[in-house]
Amino acid sequence: MNRIEVEDLNVYFGDNKVLKAVNIEIPKNNVTALIGPSGCGKSTFIRTVNRMNDLIPSFRHEGSVLLDGEDIYNPKMDVVDLRKKVGMVFQKPNPFPKSIFENVAYGLRIHGISDNDTLAARVEEALRSAALWDEVEEKLENSAMGLSGGQQQRLCIARTIANNPEVILMDEPCSALDPISTTKIEDLIHKLKRDYTIIIVTHNMQQATRVSKYTSFFLNGEIIESNLTDKLFIDPKNKKTEDYITGRFG
């Protein structure tokens, strides 16, 4: 079953066409990796899926992006509600200059939850899901800025999880992290896919093979090839895909 279906998606910033006739299906409760060289449209694509590109005045699109069969660009779509369903984890950890507790509780408060017991339970649940609770249980009132980079990224994942999203978008979530922190995030991704649909943008092709079931290769705003990750890396059908994954360019 597909969580997201994208049909003939074109994205423009002014006169610049950044995505070209993108068609992709994102299966539910799996990890889909997006690979390709810098500037090929991967990040633009995931920002289209939660309508973050709407914040750029020159943005416009053609085609459809369906979440559970509903077009997210329908004028009746509540964008705040959409971004609750489709959470985002960025390349660089971006905790708020607040306590660890308040970082995770932030989105819950925005969505009207004010009961202290409910907040405490949801925050603990999210931190446990992000494999961070045991490290911060006694430090919830401490500033999130005092955490290590890897802990900050898991905190940002907890902040996303707390809103009970259906989809988690990850834009190179490990690129700023050391190998040990990267391993923790990858282990976490394996656990999270049981409950969430995950799309991960990564420059690290070994990471794509480790964490994803499906991979799509982007080049110059187009999807050149999509397949099961094992098949795409072992037996690519397109010469451009083969050249990229074997390091001939990119």
Side-chain angles (χ1 to χ4, degrees):
M1 180 180 175
N2 294 322
R3 176 70 79 189
I4 296 169
E5 295 179 347
V6 178
E7 299 173 0
D8 296 326
L9 176 67
N10 297 308
V11 167
Y12 303 82
F13 294 109
D15 295 330
N16 185 22
K17 191 174 186 180
V18 180
L19 294 180
K20 306 163 188 173
V22 169
N23 289 276
I24 186 172
E25 296 177 344
I26 307 293
K28 184 178 180 182
N29 290 67
N30 277 287
V31 181
T32 299
L34 309 182
I35 63 170
S38 295
C40 68
K42 306 182 300 293
S43 293
T44 296
F45 173 76
I46 63 170
R47 287 166 181 264
T48 304
V49 174
N50 74 342
R51 292 188 56 174
M52 281 195 67
N53 287 329
D54 289 20
L55 303 172
I56 301 171
S58 62
F59 165 77
R60 64 186 176 90
H61 85 288
E62 300 163 345
S64 62
V65 181
L66 306 179
L67 174 65
D68 295 327
E70 185 176 4
D71 189 342
I72 68 167
Y73 284 92
N74 185 314
K76 295 180 181 178
M77 171 63 69
D78 183 325
V79 178
V80 173
D81 188 47
L82 171 69
R83 292 185 187 139
K84 183 182 177 186
K85 291 180 181 177
V86 184
M88 184 93 164
V89 178
F90 295 92
Q91 181 172 355
K92 186 178 179 183
N94 61 337
F96 303 136
K98 298 173 179 285
S99 71
I100 293 168
F101 183 93
E102 286 302 330
N103 263 268
V104 182
Y106 181 80
L108 299 172
R109 293 190 192 280
I110 283 180
H111 291 288
I113 297 174
S114 57
D115 177 73
N116 288 334
D117 289 342
T118 302
L119 284 170
R122 292 279 292 273
V123 167
E124 178 178 343
E125 181 183 6
L127 288 168
R128 286 187 183 280
S129 294
L132 190 58
W133 176 255
D134 290 346
E135 296 168 43
V136 302
E137 180 182 1
E138 305 298 327
K139 309 174 186 175
L140 293 179
E141 297 310 315
N142 292 6
S143 171
M145 311 310 286
L147 297 173
S148 70
Q151 288 174 322
Q152 287 185 4
Q153 193 65 301
R154 280 182 284 146
L155 179 67
C156 294
I157 292 171
R159 191 171 68 199
T160 299
I161 291 171
N163 287 317
N164 289 331
E166 297 172 5
V167 178
I168 301 176
L169 308 174
M170 296 185 167
D171 194 355
E172 296 193 61
C174 302
S175 65
L177 304 181
D178 62 82
I180 293 173
S181 296
T182 294
T183 298
K184 288 184 177 181
I185 297 290
E186 290 181 0
D187 290 344
L188 178 55
I189 289 170
H190 281 294
K191 294 174 184 172
L192 293 177
K193 69 184 179 186
R194 292 186 295 232
D195 299 310
Y196 307 97
T197 300
I198 299 173
I199 305 175
I200 179 171
V201 170
T202 179
H203 274 111
N204 185 327
M205 286 179 278
Q206 288 75 30
Q207 181 173 73
T209 63
R210 289 193 296 265
V211 303
S212 70
K213 184 172 182 179
Y214 302 93
T215 295
S216 289
F217 169 51
F218 276 73
L219 183 65
N220 297 327
E222 300 178 75
I223 292 183
I224 303 300
E225 186 170 350
S226 295
N227 208 334
L228 290 163
T229 298
D230 290 347
K231 290 186 176 180
L232 186 134
F233 279 94
I234 293 170
D235 184 25
K237 304 302 181 190
N238 190 293
K239 180 70 163 55
K240 293 176 182 177
T241 311
E242 181 182 353
D243 287 348
Y244 181 71
I245 64 178
T246 55
R248 291 195 182 100
F249 75 94

